[in-house]
Amino acid sequence: MLFKFKIADLAKESTAEFSKPQIIGHYSIDGERRYFSDLSQLKYYKQPLDLKHVNFNLDDNSQTVYKEEDVDVKLDFLLKWISENFKHLEMREDSGNSTTSRCLEPEFICNRGSLTNLFITPYNCEDGWMICASKFKGTIYLCSFDTDEKKREKLKRTEYHKRCIAWGYKFEQYMLSDTPSTNPDLTTPLNQNEEFCCVFKSNLGKNSLFYCAEIDGICSQQLIQDTLVNKDVELIELKTIPERSINYQGHINHRRPLTTLKWWCQSYLVGIKRIICGCKKGNSGIVFKIKEFLCSELVNSSKNLWRPEICTSFCNEFLERMKLIVQKDYNKCIYQFEYKPNTRYVEVNEIEPSFGSEYTFLPMWYIAKANQHFSARV
């Protein structure tokens, strides 16, 4: 272990402004896990006529489901998009920072999941996380990995747990359509491999961020065929939740504060304002009503349990500390940050990069394309 530091040292009362996330691109992943730089997997939200009375059987046609391939793509899809759009991300000569060694504008590049883990850490005493960092051409790339505990948990998943995961995908099929003018198609076999992802940029304090996130669907009456960039469309997040998890006031029970915090973080990072929930009867896969939660309501109902400003402040302070630690380039060192919830410490290790290593996540094809692009500019 290189060293470790306390979570409490970074979870302080300070202001770190998070700018409104902007969509700067998107891509699709098809049923065979192939990448396409288009809108082919974009879905449209179709609100049921009566939100209080629906009857969705999330086990329907479960035998025809194509399950997600157990393949860890790390940052590959995002890096593919970046490699096709280097010219849109280049550090501008008029940026005002003549001392920077970065070739790309963002200081940090990652998936939304890594940022979510950092945001919730001040209140997370349950789940550990591991984030590895590699520095390339001045930008720090972050990639999340399963901790040993998470790997053991996955091996111990019950059949009910696996069904709950599948129910989330099925609920999306009930609520989303391929076009604004058509209804959801429940006859098509459900393919869990498919994804539509948006690429965002934002700033947290003085840190420029660039990240991707899977988007369930959008709310739009118009068919979008070219791009979501600079379009005023509403992004939608879909969830399922047991009826017992909602109290008589219509809020999520306070015994699940980490759930509401995760929901808020995931939505906040991509500018989602409302979450559409399918309420399930007991432990069954029957959704009998739809309830909407505004992200602002999640904050208000949880104000005695967690505070957004603590989350943003912690993440900002963590990234600032990470910039001081991550100094060596990707080919000399991978920095492993692991959060231990039982101790409330983050441990930092240095790992020697090697081809085929579990924690090497910047592929050689990406390094080669970046080197080729930026050498041509000289």
Side-chain angles (χ1 to χ4, degrees):
M1 181 174 62
L2 186 63
F3 59 86
K4 62 181 182 179
F5 54 86
K6 290 181 181 180
I7 294 301
D9 290 342
L10 303 185
K12 302 175 181 179
E13 288 278 358
S14 62
T15 301
E17 183 180 352
F18 180 70
S19 64
K20 181 180 178 181
Q22 298 178 18
I23 297 176
I24 61 171
H26 40 69
Y27 57 87
S28 297
I29 307 301
D30 74 358
E32 297 180 15
R33 302 298 290 167
R34 294 178 300 184
Y35 169 96
F36 295 90
S37 55
D38 58 25
L39 299 171
S40 55
Q41 294 298 330
L42 176 63
K43 304 295 182 183
Y44 296 81
Y45 173 54
K46 301 292 288 188
Q47 180 173 297
L49 295 177
D50 186 352
L51 296 179
K52 295 182 179 180
H53 299 92
V54 298
N55 185 25
F56 298 162
N57 182 1
L58 303 184
D59 282 316
D60 191 33
N61 293 328
S62 59
Q63 68 279 5
T64 64
V65 170
Y66 292 98
K67 297 187 182 297
E68 232 176 13
E69 297 176 358
D70 189 18
V71 177
D72 184 8
V73 297
K74 299 176 181 175
L75 294 185
D76 285 13
F77 293 141
L78 175 59
L79 297 179
K80 175 68 173 175
W81 187 92
I82 295 173
S83 71
E84 296 175 347
N85 294 275
F86 280 131
K87 64 179 182 292
H88 299 304
L89 300 175
E90 292 174 354
M91 176 64 75
R92 302 187 309 274
E93 293 183 3
D94 62 349
S95 64
N97 190 348
S98 59
T99 62
T100 184
S101 61
R102 298 199 312 275
C103 291
L104 298 178
E105 184 180 344
E107 293 175 275
F108 292 92
I109 292 176
C110 60
N111 289 327
R112 172 180 56 177
S114 295
L115 292 176
T116 298
N117 280 335
L118 294 178
F119 263 63
I120 71 173
T121 297
Y123 300 99
N124 179 11
C125 298
E126 302 174 16
D127 302 321
W129 50 253
M130 181 188 294
I131 298 175
C132 289
S134 285
K135 193 171 190 177
F136 176 52
K137 292 189 177 296
T139 291
I140 297 175
Y141 294 74
L142 305 178
C143 185
S144 293
F145 292 86
D146 286 341
T147 61
D148 290 341
E149 178 63 26
K150 182 63 70 175
K151 291 175 183 176
R152 289 191 289 268
E153 287 179 7
K154 286 185 175 181
L155 291 175
K156 294 179 182 178
R157 278 179 180 172
T158 64
E159 287 304 313
Y160 177 72
H161 189 156
K162 294 175 183 177
R163 286 177 68 197
C164 287
I165 294 173
W167 286 342
Y169 287 99
K170 188 65 179 181
F171 180 61
E172 292 176 10
Q173 191 178 42
Y174 272 101
M175 302 292 287
L176 303 170
S177 64
D178 291 331
T179 71
S181 59
T182 57
N183 291 321
D185 183 4
L186 301 174
T187 64
T188 304
L190 180 60
N191 194 323
Q192 296 180 6
N193 295 327
E194 297 172 344
E195 293 180 23
F196 177 73
C197 297
C198 285
V199 181
F200 298 85
K201 72 173 182 178
S202 182
N203 290 289
L204 177 58
K206 296 180 180 180
N207 296 299
S208 54
L209 310 177
F210 177 86
Y211 51 97
C212 66
E214 183 178 359
I215 301 300
D216 292 337
I218 65 171
C219 188
S220 173
Q221 298 303 313
Q222 301 296 321
L223 179 67
I224 298 176
Q225 296 178 297
D226 50 358
T227 181
L228 288 184
V229 179
N230 296 323
K231 292 283 198 313
D232 186 21
V233 297
E234 181 186 5
L235 306 182
I236 293 295
E237 179 75 17
L238 299 173
K239 301 283 188 183
T240 61
I241 190 170
E243 176 190 17
R244 63 179 178 273
S245 296
I246 301 176
N247 62 27
Y248 69 95
Q249 295 175 312
H251 302 312
I252 298 175
N253 290 332
H254 286 169
R255 66 173 180 268
R256 301 185 62 181
L258 202 58
T259 295
T260 57
L261 178 55
K262 285 180 179 178
W263 286 13
W264 172 78
C265 286
Q266 290 172 344
S267 299
Y268 181 66
L269 285 167
V270 297
I272 288 176
K273 293 182 172 59
R274 59 174 173 157
I275 301 170
I276 315 299
C277 282
C279 301
K280 300 178 295 185
K281 290 183 179 179
N283 293 326
S284 76
I286 303 298
V287 171
F288 67 98
K289 71 176 179 180
I290 308 298
K291 181 168 177 56
E292 296 186 2
F293 291 96
L294 295 178
C295 289
S296 58
E297 292 175 352
L298 291 180
V299 174
N300 292 334
S301 64
S302 305
K303 60 185 178 182
N304 295 323
L305 302 170
W306 51 264
R307 295 167 55 196
E309 56 269 27
I310 296 294
C311 298
T312 54
S313 175
F314 173 84
C315 186
N316 181 59
E317 292 294 326
F318 189 94
L319 295 178
E320 290 291 344
R321 180 162 297 195
M322 185 176 277
K323 285 191 291 189
L324 296 175
I325 296 171
V326 181
Q327 295 292 322
K328 301 176 186 177
D329 280 347
Y330 75 99
N331 55 346
K332 296 179 181 178
C333 181
I334 296 172
Y335 296 84
Q336 183 188 73
F337 297 78
E338 184 171 0
Y339 169 55
K340 308 275 191 175
N342 57 323
T343 65
R344 300 287 286 165
Y345 271 89
V346 171
E347 296 181 358
V348 185
N349 289 285
E350 290 187 357
I351 301 174
E352 185 176 344
S354 62
F355 178 75
S357 166
E358 177 182 2
Y359 301 112
T360 298
F361 62 90
L362 289 182
M364 292 310 300
W365 62 259
Y366 176 75
I367 301 296
K369 283 195 172 184
N371 285 334
Q372 181 182 19
H373 175 83
F374 288 105
S375 63
R377 295 179 61 210
V378 178

